[in-house]
Amino acid sequence: VEPDHWVLLATARLWPLCDQCSPPFPRETLTRHAAKICRRMLDDRPRPGERALESGCLTPDGRTCPTATRVEGLTAALTFLPDSEASLRDEIKQTVGEAVDFLLRSQVRAGPYAGGIPRAVGSNAETPTDSAAQRDAHRRTEIRIDYVQHALSAMIQWEQVNAGDAES
C-alpha cells in the first residue's frame, strides 16, 4: 500500500457513516486497510539517531511537507482505529509527537520569513552531482504556502487529538 494520508483522512470521515451504507460497510475492512497504511508510514520513517537534526522527520530526506501530510493521516487514524490496534495506536502517538516536534523545529524563527516552513531541513552528507539533485538541494530553503498549511493542519489535528485524550 502507498503511504496515502488522503485515504486515512477519508476513512475518518467515512467511519461514522459505515452503518448507513447499503449494504453496511464492514469496519474490519476499513481498519485492516488503514492499519496497513499506518504501518507503511511508520516503516518508511528513518530510524532514531540516523540524523539528529532531522529527528522526527518521517522521510529520509528531511522534507517537511510529506512529514506533515503523514501526521495529518496518522492523527486522523487515531480517531477511528479500534482498541484491538492498541499497540499501533501507541506507536502512532509516539511517532506523531516526534514528528510535530520536528515540524516545530523546522519553522523559521526570525526575519522576514518568520513562521515559514521550509521544504526541508538538514543537509545530505553527499554533494549532489546530477543537475536534478542540485536543483532539489537548492530548493531545501524554499517556503511555499502548502508547506505551511500542511504543517499547521498537522499541528492543529495533533493538538485536537491530545485534547480529546485529556478529556477521556
Side-chain angles (χ1 to χ4, degrees):
V1 297
E2 292 298 314
D4 189 344
H5 74 286
W6 289 115
V7 170
L8 298 174
L9 291 167
T11 302
R13 298 298 292 256
L14 177 62
W15 193 261
L17 306 173
C18 285
D19 296 333
Q20 296 173 27
C21 295
S22 182
F25 200 85
R27 291 178 194 270
E28 300 80 27
T29 302
L30 289 175
T31 299
R32 193 171 33 258
H33 190 245
K36 283 182 186 178
I37 292 170
C38 292
R39 286 187 182 95
R40 169 70 189 275
M41 288 178 176
L42 297 173
D43 288 346
D44 283 355
R45 71 187 188 267
R47 295 292 143 220
E50 283 184 10
R51 291 183 157 151
L53 185 61
E54 297 151 0
S55 174
C57 183
L58 299 182
T59 65
D61 54 5
R63 287 186 303 145
T64 58
C65 198
T67 295
T69 59
R70 290 175 185 208
V71 168
E72 289 175 294
L74 290 167
T75 55
L78 288 173
T79 68
F80 65 82
L81 284 175
D83 291 340
S84 62
E85 292 289 352
S87 63
L88 177 59
R89 290 174 57 83
D90 290 345
E91 188 175 0
I92 289 171
K93 288 178 183 177
Q94 175 71 32
T95 298
V96 168
E98 293 167 1
V100 168
D101 288 344
F102 163 77
L103 293 170
L104 288 168
R105 286 193 317 274
S106 73
Q107 190 174 35
V108 177
R109 299 286 179 196
Y113 304 109
I117 304 286
R119 176 184 174 89
V121 298
S123 62
N124 294 333
E126 315 84 36
T127 302
T129 54
D130 64 51
S131 61
Q134 288 173 344
R135 236 183 355 266
D136 188 55
H138 178 71
R139 293 181 60 203
R140 293 181 79 74
T141 58
E142 173 183 85
I143 296 173
R144 292 181 8 180
I145 191 68
D146 56 329
Y147 302 160
V148 177
Q149 177 269 310
H150 283 293
L152 289 174
S153 178
M155 290 180 217
I156 290 168
Q157 283 181 248
W158 179 234
E159 184 66 27
Q160 290 171 339
V161 165
N162 282 330
D165 284 351
E167 293 172 6
S168 301

